[in-house]
Structures are given as C-alpha cells and as structure tokens.
Amino acid sequence: MSLSTGEAPRSSARDVRLLPKAHLHLHFTGSMRPSTLLELADKYGVHLPQALSGGAPPQLRATDERGWFRFQRLYDIARSCLRSPEDIRRLVREAAQEDAADGSGWLEIQVDPTSYAPRLGGLIPTMEIILDAVDEAARETGVGMRVLVAANRMKHPLEARTLARLAVRYADRGVVGFGLSNDERRGFARDFDRAFAIARNGGLLAAPHGGELSGPGSVWDCLDDLHAGRVGHGVRAAEDPRLLARLAERGVTCEVCPASNVALGVYEKAEDVPLRTLYEAGVPMALGADDPLLFGSRLADQYELVRSAHGFSDSELAELGRQSVRGSRAPLEVRERLLEGIDAWLAGPESGPAAGLRG
Ligand SMILES: [Zn+2]
C-alpha cells in the first residue's frame, strides 16, 4: 500500500532504510512475505481468499466486531499454512531478512505457540523449533533476534498462565517478554494479572496490547493491572494527557504501528495517527509493522510514513530510532552499536531526491 501523501520527499531526506533501529512489534504469521504465503498455500492445497492472494491489502475496518472477526479469520487461514519445522524456519529467516533490509539491527518477534503446537508436536517442540529458527536467522542475517510469547485474550486466563510459565522456562534461550494480544474490548486485563506476575517474576518484560481498539482506559489497565514495561500500540493514550504524562515519566515505550492503525480503521488516514502528540509529550515510541502480510507495509515504511504524513525531520526520525533501541531488550553492546549507527546516519550526507522512496 502506498503510504505517500502525494508529496515528493524533500531532497534532503536520508534513506530511512539505512537508519539503524529496533523492531519491537511484529507478529509471527503476520510477518510472512505474501509470496511465501502463496507458495505454502499451494503446497498444502489451502484455498486463499482474495484478500490474501495478492493485490491490494484488504480494508478491514476492525473497529467494529465484524471487521475484527474478518481480520482474525484471514490471520487464521495464513497461520494454517505454517505446518512443518521447515515452514517455521523459512518464516523466521525471511522476517529477519526483511528487517535487515529495512535497517533493523534488533527484532523482537511475538508468537502464541499454542496456535502452531497441534501441527508441530506440542508446545515444547514448538518453542524449540521457533527458538532454534531464531538463532539460525540471527546468525545468517546479523539481526539480533528475540521472542515475546503472547497469550490470547480471547482464551481462558489459565491458558495464559501456562504460557507464562513456558515463556519463563525459555528465558535463557531467547524469550525476553510476555504479551497479550487479540481484541482488547473483550474481558479485562486484570483477568490476566497472575499470568503477567509469573512472567515478570521470571524476569520477562510485560508487553500487553492496549490503547488500539480501545481508548486510554485499556492502557491504564495495562499499567495498573499488568505492570506493563512496554505497551503494544498504546497510541490512543493520546486522548488522555494524564496518561501521556505517566507513560513519559515512567519511560514506558509504546509500540506504535501507524500503517496498521490506518488499515484497521483505528484512524481514518495516516495524518490522523497522533504521533506528534505522543512524541511531544515525551512518550517513548518504537515504530512497528504489526502484520505486514495483511497491512502491506514493513518497518522502514513506518518511518517513511512519519516523515511524509507528520513532517518528522531526519533528526526527529533519528530520535525515534534511538527510542526504539532504548525500548528494546537488546544487550548493552548491541544498543551501543545501534545508537552509534544512528548518530552516524544523522551525521552522514543527505542523499538524493529518490532516497526516501520505496518501490
Ligand atoms: Zn499487534
């Protein structure tokens, strides 16, 4: 999908794909290349609905329940094409390759292993396959990579507790955080407080979704009930100045995914995503692609969108890059390397007129 607002990028624009950054909001199946989905669907004889079989990304309008259901259904169909350890390895490798091409030096990918477990021999083998794939992809691409295990809010909180224990068990193998995804309008965050306590006590970052489909109240719940260290989306915190102040004061990074917000109808157009409000309130942000498979744009596109729709200067884009790195769970030496790279990007020459454009 084109994220350009029709204006040509300024001739001074540096290439955002060369800006070092960390990617903290990317879902497992949602990271798949569309061409890979086509191949896997063909291999397994899965019939893809038109919205997944090429062409323009679907307009989902997930702000009503029907739209959200449709989004979930598309996601489920795509997920059903991941059946073997080799499929998992391919997905992870390609996600890392895409991130590398977009200037990401650190990727935290989010997965609910229960969705893949039936075909891969159970939860434990699934985690082993995913974490081995992550190690392999990191070695191959040079992108540091870790995993967030995400529970599904539509399922029973006891299942979330099982997942939290599993996540903690793999903390020394590459799991760095625990998330909570799916429709935040359903149930209460506090139903999952014990799962999050298990995760936090095991040293994991609490990073639930909030403030996307629901307003600021759901972000408050993430902070107060789940003690979130980072918030998936969180963008609707912009509607509550007191909440913005809290997020800024505590340094809670919001994983803002502007193209996703527009595709799901959270905001009408890119210009409406309140990125400036968060930025100016001092709320740290890490731009993310969420589900590029469904939304048609990847990580660097988010930075390009912030430039074209919100007029962020190169020095502000560099600051967003820094915020993404600081909000990550990357080890100190990786952070330092990325932060130095960001300074070098900004100190480097401005590139030609086409630099900011993406094919
Ligand atoms: Zn998400």
Side-chain angles (χ1 to χ4, degrees):
M1 125 173 138
S2 170
L3 297 169
S4 156
T5 50
E7 270 172 57
R10 284 156 300 167
S11 60
S12 67
R14 290 168 180 82
D15 188 341
V16 289
R17 283 166 299 182
L18 301 178
L19 169 68
K21 51 182 94 61
H23 195 183
L24 311 183
H25 199 104
L26 181 69
H27 293 275
F28 204 73
T29 292
S31 75
M32 207 186 318
R33 284 179 184 153
S35 55
T36 299
L37 176 63
L38 292 181
E39 267 182 53
L40 293 177
D42 188 49
K43 174 167 132 188
Y44 295 122
V46 173
H47 173 73
L48 294 179
Q50 221 204 328
L52 286 174
S53 54
Q59 277 303 311
L60 291 156
R61 298 292 136 192
T63 41
D64 65 71
E65 296 227 333
R66 257 239 221 93
W68 182 254
F69 180 75
R70 182 157 174 258
F71 167 70
Q72 288 300 325
R73 211 178 67 87
L74 291 175
Y75 202 92
D76 289 343
I77 294 168
R79 186 164 43 209
S80 76
C81 295
L82 291 165
R83 299 188 182 185
S84 72
E86 179 42 37
D87 300 339
I88 300 289
R89 281 196 289 273
R90 178 177 179 179
L91 175 106
V92 172
R93 190 194 324 122
E94 292 179 353
Q97 286 168 350
E98 292 288 346
D99 251 52
D102 273 6
S104 163
W106 183 261
L107 168 60
E108 295 177 13
I109 196 165
Q110 199 160 135
V111 64
D112 174 358
T114 44
S115 323
Y116 309 91
R119 293 187 198 274
L120 295 172
L123 276 176
I124 302 274
T126 303
M127 286 303 295
E128 297 279 345
I129 290 164
I130 291 170
L131 292 168
D132 284 350
V134 160
D135 285 346
E136 196 180 296
R139 270 199 310 274
E140 274 180 34
T141 61
V143 176
M145 213 175 159
R146 295 289 188 274
V147 170
L148 274 88
V149 169
N152 185 343
R153 192 172 175 136
M154 311 289 273
K155 295 193 181 157
H156 198 279
L158 279 173
E159 188 173 303
R161 269 192 251 174
T162 305
L163 277 179
R165 281 188 204 100
L166 183 76
V168 168
R169 177 171 167 177
Y170 283 98
D172 61 352
R173 279 279 318 276
V175 175
V176 292
F178 188 68
L180 182 66
S181 57
N182 215 318
D183 194 343
E184 60 186 288
R185 294 164 296 197
R186 298 294 188 90
F188 297 100
R190 65 171 177 270
D191 296 337
F192 299 90
D193 57 354
R194 293 187 60 188
F196 274 84
I198 292 167
R200 289 193 319 272
N201 291 337
L204 300 181
L205 171 77
H209 281 58
E212 178 197 17
L213 302 170
S214 293
S218 73
V219 181
W220 281 115
D221 291 348
C222 288
L223 296 179
D224 294 340
D225 298 335
L226 307 180
H227 305 280
R230 220 162 68 196
V231 178
H233 295 284
V235 64
R236 292 187 60 193
E239 295 160 32
D240 180 349
R242 208 165 58 87
L243 177 57
L244 288 173
R246 170 75 70 89
L247 291 165
E249 170 204 316
R250 301 256 169 111
V252 175
T253 300
C254 289
E255 304 155 3
V256 177
C257 308
S260 159
N261 291 160
V262 176
L264 290 177
V266 176
Y267 299 101
E268 195 63 38
K269 45 188 195 307
E271 288 77 0
D272 299 337
V273 182
L275 284 149
R276 275 274 167 214
T277 309
L278 271 79
Y279 188 79
E280 255 130 51
V283 177
M285 278 185 276
L287 299 183
D290 208 5
D291 298 297
L293 173 67
L294 291 161
F295 306 139
S297 75
R298 289 196 169 266
L299 181 60
D301 296 321
Q302 313 307 314
Y303 286 79
E304 194 56 53
L305 176 151
V306 168
R307 170 189 274 161
S308 62
H310 297 275
F312 274 56
S313 65
D314 284 1
S315 97
E316 289 170 327
L317 291 170
E319 180 52 26
L320 286 180
R322 288 185 200 106
Q323 291 179 1
S324 74
V325 172
R326 292 190 200 113
S328 77
R329 279 271 164 144
L332 192 62
E333 66 272 16
V334 174
R335 286 161 177 255
E336 282 174 353
R337 177 167 51 78
L338 292 174
L339 292 171
E340 277 168 23
I342 292 169
D343 290 344
W345 179 82
L346 195 58
E350 296 163 351
S351 15
L357 281 179
R358 216 173 134 79

